[in-house]
Amino acid sequence: MAISKWNLDNAHSNVDFSVKHMMVSKVKGSFNDFSADIVVDATDLTTGNISFTIDVASIDTRNTDRDNHLRSADFFETEKYPNLTFTSTNIVKKGEDEYAVTGDVSLHGVTKPETFTVTFEGLAKDPMSGAEKAGFSVEGKIKRSDYGLTWNAALETGGVLVGDDIKVTMEIQVAREA
């Protein structure tokens, strides 16, 4: 397959995260507004270019008060830093359908390299539109403190209210540009 431009199918894609809460459970959430620029051979990502932009204010943890707190200066400070971006810098094939995708993550005024595991889920022709579609699963972890997101509260029983490790998962569907 040749390198092609692929357009994100937002209706069939999601960007999710989870973080430890009170040292005993996990809070999960999503970002509802995101875009991508993807130019790859869907069956061999190693020569491609991938970039993502996430509107951080679109955070949704199913709790309005928490979401508003996350948008505030205590966390994302979305008025000053509206986007989280990722731009690939190196893609290495790790297995038949698995890749280590390294790139620059920019969040809250800080840019750092991060590596995510990307699994190619397959190709299919959409029976509704006739477009060729490809699917990918993404997993990774970032430390919020690496990006200056350090707000927290000590717990009476020891530990902290909000964990430092953020688990990131994405399910991405793209359509080959005609």
Side-chain angles (χ1 to χ4, degrees):
M1 180 174 280
I3 291 178
S4 302
K5 173 139 176 64
W6 295 81
N7 297 313
L8 188 63
D9 180 345
N10 287 73
H12 297 102
S13 300
N14 56 283
V15 176
D16 301 315
F17 65 90
S18 65
V19 62
K20 197 94 167 188
H21 182 254
M22 293 185 60
M23 311 295 292
V24 298
S25 65
K26 293 180 183 167
V27 168
K28 294 183 177 186
S30 301
F31 291 100
N32 295 323
D33 296 328
F34 50 92
S35 60
D37 186 19
I38 302 170
V39 180
V40 297
D41 173 338
T43 62
D44 180 12
L45 302 181
T46 58
T47 59
N49 292 303
I50 302 167
S51 63
F52 267 85
T53 300
I54 297 169
D55 176 356
V56 182
S58 73
I59 195 165
D60 182 0
T61 64
R62 298 184 330 263
N63 181 295
T64 302
D65 290 340
R66 180 174 47 224
D67 293 346
N68 287 335
H69 188 208
L70 290 168
R71 291 180 189 107
S72 79
D74 283 346
F75 286 95
F76 291 118
E77 202 171 353
T78 58
E79 287 188 23
K80 186 174 181 181
Y81 305 107
N83 295 318
L84 179 158
T85 62
F86 172 86
T87 304
S88 66
T89 57
N90 189 38
I91 303 173
V92 177
K93 191 167 186 147
K94 295 299 216 178
E96 186 175 334
D97 292 324
E98 188 174 285
Y99 299 85
V101 179
T102 300
D104 293 328
V105 171
S106 295
L107 173 63
H108 199 247
V110 177
T111 301
K112 294 186 62 61
E114 301 283 0
T115 300
F116 298 89
T117 300
V118 176
T119 303
F120 171 63
E121 300 292 352
L123 289 169
K125 186 172 185 175
D126 186 325
M128 304 302 282
S129 68
E132 185 173 24
K133 301 274 184 110
F136 302 92
S137 295
V138 180
E139 293 184 355
K141 182 172 65 170
I142 66 171
K143 287 192 173 298
R144 64 187 188 94
S145 60
D146 287 348
Y147 296 91
L149 301 171
T150 57
W151 182 93
N152 226 324
L155 298 175
E156 208 175 276
T157 55
V160 292
L161 185 64
V162 182
D164 195 29
D165 292 336
I166 309 296
K167 183 178 179 185
V168 177
T169 57
M170 301 168 67
E171 295 299 328
I172 303 299
Q173 188 174 114
V174 293
R176 185 194 304 262
E177 190 170 275

